[in-house]
Every structure is written in C-alpha cells, then in structure tokens.
Amino acid sequence: MQHPSGNRTIKFILYTNKDFSTINDTINFSLTIRNHEHTVAFDSALTSIRIKDIPGPSNKWTFTKTVPNDGTILSAGFLYSIKNVGNSWFLDTVGVNQKMKTIEYPFQ
C-alpha cells in the first residue's frame, strides 16, 4: 500500500455569534491535530481569555497549520476548558486524501 505524499493544511477559525458580554469566566483554548494512534501531530495552547472577549464574526481568529501527510485520518479542532466548569472540545475529521480542511467553530 502506498501512502499519500505531500502535506495537509488545516485552517482553524474561532469566533462566537452569542453575546457573552457579562461573562467574566476564564476560558483556555488549544488547537489539536492527532492521528488514529493518538500521536500528536500538532498541539498548541492559544490563550487564556475571558469568555466575554471571544471575538465576534467580524473579528474571527484564524490559524493555519500544515502537517505532513502520514497516510492516516486525522482528528483536528479546538480543545477548551472553563475554570470551575470543565473541559470540552470541537473536533472534525481530516481524510487521508484531503489536502486542505477548514474547521470553523462558532463558540456557544
């Protein structure tokens, strides 16, 4: 079996459509890209901010990461934790033959 060659590019977009202007709780966002073996291809903390400071649709945060195509399906997306609340995530799949994937997350 021949593995695909080249790279895959994943574009992450984060924003909210909700009005969180009164919520001062801290939220920590991270980006993740993993393969089926749970090997981290990319894992990066973004920032700690107050929920009310998550950007709206006109100020979306956009991050792009290119990773080698190792011939596996990837799981990629956002991990986040809210102090005194818990952890959650928004993940999507990147197929073996997908050269470009956009993961857009309107935080709610």
Coordinates of all heavy atoms in Angstrom, one line a residue, residues 3-71:
H3 N 1.5 5.2 0.6 CA 0.9 6.3 1.4 C 0.9 7.6 0.6 O 1.8 7.8 -0.2 CB 1.8 6.5 2.7 CG 1.6 5.4 3.7 ND1 0.5 5.2 4.3 CD2 2.5 4.5 4.1 CE1 0.6 4.2 5.2 NE2 1.8 3.7 5.0
P4 N -0.1 8.4 0.8 CA -0.1 9.7 0.1 C 1.1 10.5 0.5 O 1.7 10.3 1.6 CB -1.3 10.4 0.7 CG -2.2 9.3 1.2 CD -1.3 8.2 1.6
S5 N 1.6 11.4 -0.4 CA 2.7 12.2 -0.1 C 2.3 13.6 0.0 O 1.1 14.0 -0.2 CB 3.8 12.0 -1.1 OG 3.2 12.4 -2.4
G6 N 3.2 14.5 0.4 CA 2.9 15.9 0.5 C 2.4 16.3 1.9 O 2.7 15.6 2.8
N7 N 1.7 17.4 1.9 CA 1.3 17.9 3.2 C -0.2 18.1 3.1 O -0.9 18.1 2.1 CB 1.9 19.3 3.4 CG 3.4 19.2 3.6 OD1 3.9 18.3 4.3 ND2 4.1 20.1 3.0
R8 N -0.8 18.3 4.3 CA -2.2 18.7 4.5 C -2.2 20.0 5.3 O -1.5 20.1 6.3 CB -3.0 17.6 5.3 CG -3.1 16.3 4.4 CD -4.0 15.4 5.1 NE -3.2 14.5 5.9 CZ -3.7 13.5 6.6 NH1 -5.0 13.2 6.5 NH2 -3.0 12.7 7.3
T9 N -3.1 20.9 4.9 CA -3.2 22.2 5.5 C -4.5 22.3 6.2 O -5.6 22.0 5.6 CB -3.0 23.3 4.5 OG1 -1.7 23.2 3.9 CG2 -3.1 24.7 5.2
I10 N -4.5 22.6 7.5 CA -5.7 22.8 8.3 C -5.9 24.2 8.7 O -4.9 24.8 9.3 CB -5.7 21.8 9.5 CG1 -5.6 20.4 9.0 CG2 -7.0 22.0 10.3 CD1 -5.3 19.4 10.0
K11 N -7.0 24.8 8.4 CA -7.3 26.2 8.8 C -8.3 26.1 9.9 O -9.4 25.5 9.8 CB -7.8 27.0 7.6 CG -8.1 28.4 7.8 CD -8.6 29.0 6.5 CE -8.8 30.5 6.7 NZ -9.3 31.1 5.4
F12 N -8.0 26.8 11.0 CA -8.9 26.8 12.2 C -9.5 28.2 12.3 O -8.7 29.2 12.2 CB -8.1 26.6 13.5 CG -7.4 25.2 13.5 CD1 -6.1 25.1 13.0 CD2 -8.0 24.2 14.1 CE1 -5.5 23.8 13.1 CE2 -7.4 22.9 14.3 CZ -6.1 22.8 13.7
I13 N -10.8 28.3 12.5 CA -11.4 29.6 12.6 C -12.3 29.6 13.9 O -13.1 28.7 14.0 CB -12.3 29.9 11.4 CG1 -11.5 29.9 10.1 CG2 -13.0 31.3 11.6 CD1 -12.3 30.0 8.8
L14 N -12.1 30.6 14.7 CA -12.8 30.6 16.0 C -13.4 32.0 16.2 O -12.8 33.0 16.0 CB -11.8 30.4 17.2 CG -12.3 30.5 18.6 CD1 -13.3 29.4 18.9 CD2 -11.2 30.5 19.6
Y15 N -14.7 31.9 16.6 CA -15.4 33.2 16.9 C -16.7 32.8 17.7 O -17.0 31.6 17.9 CB -15.8 33.9 15.7 CG -16.7 33.1 14.7 CD1 -18.0 33.4 14.7 CD2 -16.1 32.2 13.9 CE1 -18.9 32.6 13.8 CE2 -16.9 31.5 13.0 CZ -18.3 31.7 13.0 OH -19.1 31.0 12.1
T16 N -17.6 33.7 18.0 CA -18.9 33.4 18.6 C -19.9 34.4 18.0 O -19.6 35.5 17.6 CB -18.9 33.6 20.1 OG1 -20.1 33.1 20.6 CG2 -18.7 35.0 20.6
N17 N -21.1 33.8 17.9 CA -22.3 34.6 17.5 C -23.1 35.1 18.7 O -24.1 35.7 18.5 CB -23.2 33.8 16.5 CG -22.5 33.6 15.2 OD1 -21.9 34.5 14.6 ND2 -22.6 32.3 14.7
K18 N -22.7 34.6 19.9 CA -23.5 34.9 21.1 C -23.0 36.1 21.8 O -21.9 36.5 21.6 CB -23.4 33.7 22.1 CG -23.8 32.3 21.5 CD -25.3 32.3 21.4 CE -25.7 30.9 21.0 NZ -27.1 30.7 20.9
D19 N -23.9 36.7 22.6 CA -23.5 37.8 23.5 C -23.1 37.3 24.8 O -23.9 36.9 25.7 CB -24.7 38.8 23.6 CG -24.3 40.0 24.5 OD1 -23.2 40.1 24.9 OD2 -25.2 40.8 24.8
F20 N -21.8 37.3 25.0 CA -21.2 36.8 26.3 C -20.6 38.0 27.1 O -19.8 37.9 27.9 CB -20.1 35.8 26.1 CG -20.5 34.5 25.5 CD1 -20.1 34.1 24.3 CD2 -21.4 33.7 26.3 CE1 -20.5 32.8 23.8 CE2 -21.8 32.5 25.8 CZ -21.4 32.0 24.5
S21 N -21.1 39.2 26.8 CA -20.5 40.4 27.3 C -20.5 40.5 28.9 O -19.8 41.3 29.4 CB -21.2 41.7 26.7 OG -22.6 41.7 27.1
T22 N -21.3 39.7 29.5 CA -21.4 39.8 31.0 C -20.7 38.6 31.7 O -20.7 38.5 32.9 CB -22.8 39.8 31.5 OG1 -23.5 38.6 31.0 CG2 -23.6 41.1 30.9
I23 N -20.0 37.7 30.9 CA -19.4 36.5 31.4 C -17.9 36.8 31.6 O -17.2 36.8 30.6 CB -19.8 35.3 30.6 CG1 -21.3 35.1 30.6 CG2 -19.1 34.1 31.2 CD1 -21.8 34.0 29.7
N24 N -17.5 36.9 32.8 CA -16.0 37.2 33.1 C -15.2 35.9 33.3 O -14.0 36.0 33.6 CB -15.9 38.1 34.2 CG -16.3 39.5 33.8 OD1 -15.8 40.1 32.9 ND2 -17.2 40.1 34.6
D25 N -15.8 34.7 33.3 CA -15.1 33.5 33.5 C -13.9 33.3 32.5 O -14.1 33.8 31.3 CB -16.0 32.3 33.4 CG -17.0 32.2 34.5 OD1 -16.8 32.8 35.6 OD2 -18.1 31.6 34.3
T26 N -12.9 32.7 32.9 CA -11.7 32.5 32.1 C -11.9 31.2 31.2 O -12.3 30.2 31.8 CB -10.4 32.4 32.9 OG1 -10.3 33.6 33.6 CG2 -9.2 32.1 32.0
I27 N -11.5 31.3 30.0 CA -11.5 30.1 29.1 C -10.2 30.0 28.5 O -9.5 31.0 28.1 CB -12.7 30.2 28.0 CG1 -12.8 28.9 27.2 CG2 -12.4 31.4 27.1 CD1 -14.1 28.9 26.4
N28 N -9.7 28.7 28.4 CA -8.4 28.4 27.7 C -8.7 27.6 26.5 O -9.3 26.5 26.5 CB -7.5 27.6 28.7 CG -7.2 28.3 30.0 OD1 -6.7 29.4 29.9 ND2 -7.6 27.7 31.1
F29 N -8.2 28.1 25.3 CA -8.4 27.4 24.1 C -7.0 26.8 23.6 O -6.0 27.4 23.8 CB -8.8 28.4 22.9 CG -10.3 28.8 23.0 CD1 -10.6 30.0 23.5 CD2 -11.2 27.9 22.6 CE1 -12.0 30.4 23.5 CE2 -12.6 28.3 22.6 CZ -12.9 29.5 23.1
S30 N -7.1 25.6 23.0 CA -6.0 25.0 22.4 C -6.4 24.4 21.0 O -7.6 24.1 20.8 CB -5.5 23.8 23.2 OG -5.0 24.2 24.5
L31 N -5.4 24.3 20.1 CA -5.7 23.6 18.8 C -5.0 22.3 18.9 O -4.0 22.1 19.5 CB -5.0 24.4 17.7 CG -5.4 25.9 17.5 CD1 -4.6 26.5 16.4 CD2 -6.9 25.9 17.2
T32 N -5.6 21.3 18.3 CA -5.1 19.9 18.2 C -5.2 19.3 16.9 O -6.2 19.5 16.2 CB -5.7 19.1 19.3 OG1 -5.0 17.8 19.4 CG2 -7.1 18.8 19.1
I33 N -4.2 18.5 16.5 CA -4.3 17.6 15.3 C -3.7 16.3 15.7 O -2.5 16.3 16.2 CB -3.5 18.2 14.1 CG1 -4.0 19.6 13.7 CG2 -3.5 17.3 12.9 CD1 -3.1 20.3 12.7
R34 N -4.4 15.2 15.6 CA -4.0 13.9 16.0 C -4.3 12.9 15.0 O -5.3 13.0 14.3 CB -4.6 13.5 17.3 CG -4.3 14.4 18.5 CD -5.1 14.1 19.7 NE -4.8 15.0 20.8 CZ -4.1 14.8 21.9 NH1 -3.6 13.6 22.1 NH2 -3.9 15.7 22.8
N35 N -3.5 11.8 14.9 CA -3.9 10.7 14.1 C -4.6 9.6 14.9 O -4.7 9.7 16.1 CB -2.7 10.2 13.2 CG -1.7 9.5 14.1 OD1 -1.9 9.0 15.2 ND2 -0.5 9.4 13.5
H36 N -4.9 8.5 14.3 CA -5.7 7.4 15.0 C -4.9 6.7 16.1 O -5.4 6.1 16.9 CB -6.1 6.3 13.9 CG -5.0 5.6 13.3 ND1 -4.2 6.1 12.3 CD2 -4.5 4.3 13.6 CE1 -3.3 5.2 12.0 NE2 -3.4 4.1 12.7
E37 N -3.6 6.9 16.1 CA -2.8 6.3 17.1 C -2.6 7.3 18.3 O -1.8 7.0 19.2 CB -1.4 5.9 16.6 CG -1.4 4.9 15.5 CD -0.1 4.7 14.8 OE1 0.8 5.5 15.0 OE2 0.0 3.7 14.1
H38 N -3.3 8.4 18.3 CA -3.2 9.4 19.3 C -1.9 10.1 19.3 O -1.6 10.7 20.3 CB -3.6 8.9 20.7 CG -5.0 8.3 20.7 ND1 -6.1 9.0 20.5 CD2 -5.4 7.0 20.8 CE1 -7.2 8.2 20.5 NE2 -6.7 7.0 20.7
T39 N -1.1 10.0 18.2 CA 0.1 10.7 18.1 C -0.2 12.1 17.8 O -0.9 12.4 16.9 CB 1.0 10.1 17.0 OG1 1.3 8.7 17.3 CG2 2.3 10.8 16.9
V40 N 0.4 13.0 18.6 CA 0.1 14.4 18.4 C 0.9 14.9 17.2 O 2.1 14.9 17.2 CB 0.4 15.3 19.6 CG1 0.2 16.7 19.4 CG2 -0.4 14.8 20.8
A41 N 0.2 15.3 16.1 CA 0.9 16.0 15.0 C 1.1 17.4 15.3 O 2.0 18.0 14.8 CB 0.1 15.8 13.7
F42 N 0.2 18.0 16.1 CA 0.3 19.4 16.5 C -0.6 19.6 17.7 O -1.8 19.1 17.7 CB -0.2 20.3 15.3 CG -0.3 21.7 15.6 CD1 0.8 22.5 15.8 CD2 -1.6 22.3 15.7 CE1 0.7 23.9 16.0 CE2 -1.7 23.7 16.0 CZ -0.5 24.4 16.1
D43 N -0.2 20.3 18.7 CA -0.9 20.6 19.9 C -0.4 21.9 20.4 O 0.8 22.0 20.7 CB -0.8 19.5 20.9 CG -2.0 19.3 21.8 OD1 -3.0 20.0 21.6 OD2 -1.9 18.5 22.7
S44 N -1.3 22.9 20.5 CA -0.8 24.2 20.8 C -1.8 25.0 21.6 O -3.0 25.1 21.2 CB -0.4 25.0 19.6 OG 0.0 26.3 19.9
A45 N -1.4 25.5 22.8 CA -2.3 26.4 23.5 C -2.4 27.7 22.8 O -1.4 28.3 22.3 CB -1.7 26.6 24.9
L46 N -3.6 28.3 22.7 CA -3.8 29.6 22.1 C -3.7 30.7 23.1 O -2.8 31.5 23.0 CB -5.2 29.7 21.4 CG -5.4 28.8 20.2 CD1 -6.8 29.0 19.7 CD2 -4.4 29.1 19.1
T47 N -4.6 30.7 24.1 CA -4.6 31.8 25.0 C -5.6 31.5 26.1 O -6.5 30.7 26.0 CB -5.0 33.1 24.3 OG1 -4.8 34.2 25.2 CG2 -6.4 33.1 23.8
S48 N -5.4 32.2 27.2 CA -6.4 32.3 28.3 C -7.1 33.7 28.2 O -6.4 34.7 28.2 CB -5.8 32.2 29.7 OG -5.3 30.9 29.9
I49 N -8.4 33.7 28.0 CA -9.1 35.0 27.9 C -10.4 34.8 28.7 O -10.8 33.8 29.1 CB -9.4 35.3 26.5 CG1 -10.3 34.3 25.8 CG2 -8.2 35.6 25.7 CD1 -10.9 34.7 24.5
R50 N -11.1 36.0 28.9 CA -12.4 35.9 29.5 C -13.4 35.6 28.4 O -13.2 36.0 27.2 CB -12.7 37.3 30.1 CG -11.9 37.6 31.4 CD -12.2 38.9 32.0 NE -11.7 39.9 31.0 CZ -11.9 41.2 31.1 NH1 -12.5 41.7 32.2 NH2 -11.4 42.0 30.2
I51 N -14.4 34.8 28.7 CA -15.4 34.4 27.7 C -16.0 35.6 27.0 O -16.2 35.6 25.8 CB -16.5 33.6 28.4 CG1 -15.9 32.2 28.8 CG2 -17.7 33.3 27.4 CD1 -16.8 31.3 29.6
K52 N -16.2 36.7 27.7 CA -16.7 37.9 27.1 C -15.8 38.5 26.0 O -16.2 39.3 25.1 CB -17.1 39.0 28.1 CG -15.9 39.7 28.7 CD -16.4 40.7 29.7 CE -15.3 41.6 30.2 NZ -15.8 42.7 31.1
D53 N -14.5 38.1 26.0 CA -13.6 38.6 25.0 C -13.4 37.7 23.8 O -12.5 38.0 22.9 CB -12.2 38.8 25.6 CG -12.3 39.9 26.7 OD1 -13.1 40.8 26.5 OD2 -11.5 39.8 27.7
I54 N -14.2 36.6 23.7 CA -14.1 35.8 22.5 C -14.6 36.6 21.3 O -15.6 37.3 21.4 CB -15.0 34.5 22.6 CG1 -14.5 33.6 23.7 CG2 -15.0 33.7 21.3 CD1 -15.4 32.5 24.1
P55 N -13.8 36.6 20.2 CA -14.2 37.6 19.1 C -15.5 37.2 18.4 O -15.9 36.0 18.4 CB -13.0 37.4 18.1 CG -12.5 36.1 18.4 CD -12.7 35.8 19.9
G56 N -16.1 38.2 17.9 CA -17.4 38.0 17.1 C -17.1 37.7 15.7 O -15.9 37.6 15.3
P57 N -18.1 37.5 14.8 CA -17.9 37.2 13.4 C -17.1 38.1 12.6 O -16.4 37.7 11.7 CB -19.3 37.1 12.9 CG -20.2 37.0 14.1 CD -19.5 37.6 15.2
S58 N -17.0 39.4 13.0 CA -16.3 40.3 12.2 C -14.8 40.4 12.6 O -14.0 41.0 11.9 CB -16.8 41.7 12.3 OG -16.8 42.2 13.6
N59 N -14.4 39.7 13.7 CA -13.0 39.6 14.1 C -12.6 38.2 14.4 O -11.8 38.0 15.3 CB -12.9 40.4 15.4 CG -13.2 41.9 15.2 OD1 -12.7 42.5 14.3 ND2 -14.1 42.4 16.1
K60 N -12.9 37.3 13.6 CA -12.6 35.9 13.8 C -11.1 35.7 13.9 O -10.3 36.3 13.3 CB -13.1 35.0 12.6 CG -14.6 35.1 12.3 CD -14.9 34.3 11.1 CE -16.4 34.4 10.8 NZ -16.8 33.8 9.5
W61 N -10.8 34.7 14.8 CA -9.4 34.3 14.9 C -9.2 33.2 13.9 O -9.9 32.2 13.8 CB -9.1 33.8 16.3 CG -9.0 34.8 17.4 CD1 -8.9 36.2 17.2 CD2 -8.9 34.6 18.8 NE1 -8.8 36.8 18.4 CE2 -8.8 35.8 19.4 CE3 -9.0 33.4 19.5 CZ2 -8.8 35.9 20.8 CZ3 -8.9 33.5 20.9 CH2 -8.8 34.8 21.5
T62 N -8.1 33.3 13.1 CA -7.8 32.3 12.1 C -6.4 31.9 12.2 O -5.4 32.7 12.4 CB -8.0 32.9 10.7 OG1 -9.3 33.4 10.5 CG2 -7.7 31.9 9.6
F63 N -6.2 30.5 12.3 CA -4.9 29.9 12.4 C -4.7 28.9 11.3 O -5.7 28.1 11.0 CB -4.7 29.2 13.7 CG -5.0 30.2 14.9 CD1 -6.3 30.2 15.4 CD2 -4.0 31.0 15.4 CE1 -6.6 31.1 16.5 CE2 -4.3 31.8 16.5 CZ -5.6 31.9 17.0
T64 N -3.6 28.7 10.7 CA -3.3 27.7 9.7 C -2.1 26.9 10.0 O -1.1 27.5 10.4 CB -3.1 28.4 8.3 OG1 -4.3 29.2 8.0 CG2 -3.0 27.4 7.2
K65 N -2.3 25.6 9.9 CA -1.1 24.7 10.2 C -1.0 23.7 9.1 O -2.0 23.1 8.7 CB -1.4 24.0 11.6 CG -0.3 23.0 12.0 CD 1.0 23.7 12.3 CE 2.0 22.7 12.7 NZ 3.4 23.2 12.7
T66 N 0.2 23.5 8.6 CA 0.5 22.5 7.6 C 1.2 21.3 8.3 O 2.2 21.6 9.0 CB 1.3 23.1 6.5 OG1 0.5 24.1 5.9 CG2 1.6 22.0 5.4
V67 N 0.8 20.1 8.0 CA 1.4 18.9 8.6 C 1.7 17.9 7.5 O 1.0 17.9 6.5 CB 0.5 18.3 9.7 CG1 0.4 19.2 10.9 CG2 -0.8 17.8 9.2
P68 N 2.7 17.1 7.6 CA 3.0 16.1 6.6 C 1.8 15.1 6.5 O 1.2 14.7 7.5 CB 4.2 15.4 7.2 CG 4.8 16.3 8.2 CD 3.7 17.1 8.7
N69 N 1.5 14.6 5.3 CA 0.5 13.6 5.2 C 1.1 12.2 5.5 O 1.9 11.7 4.7 CB 0.0 13.6 3.7 CG -1.3 12.8 3.6 OD1 -1.6 12.0 4.5 ND2 -2.0 12.9 2.5
D70 N 0.8 11.7 6.6 CA 1.3 10.4 7.0 C 0.4 9.2 6.6 O 0.6 8.1 7.0 CB 1.5 10.3 8.5 CG 0.2 10.4 9.3 OD1 -0.8 10.6 8.7 OD2 0.3 10.3 10.6
G71 N -0.6 9.5 5.8 CA -1.4 8.4 5.2 C -2.5 8.0 6.2 O -3.1 6.9 6.0

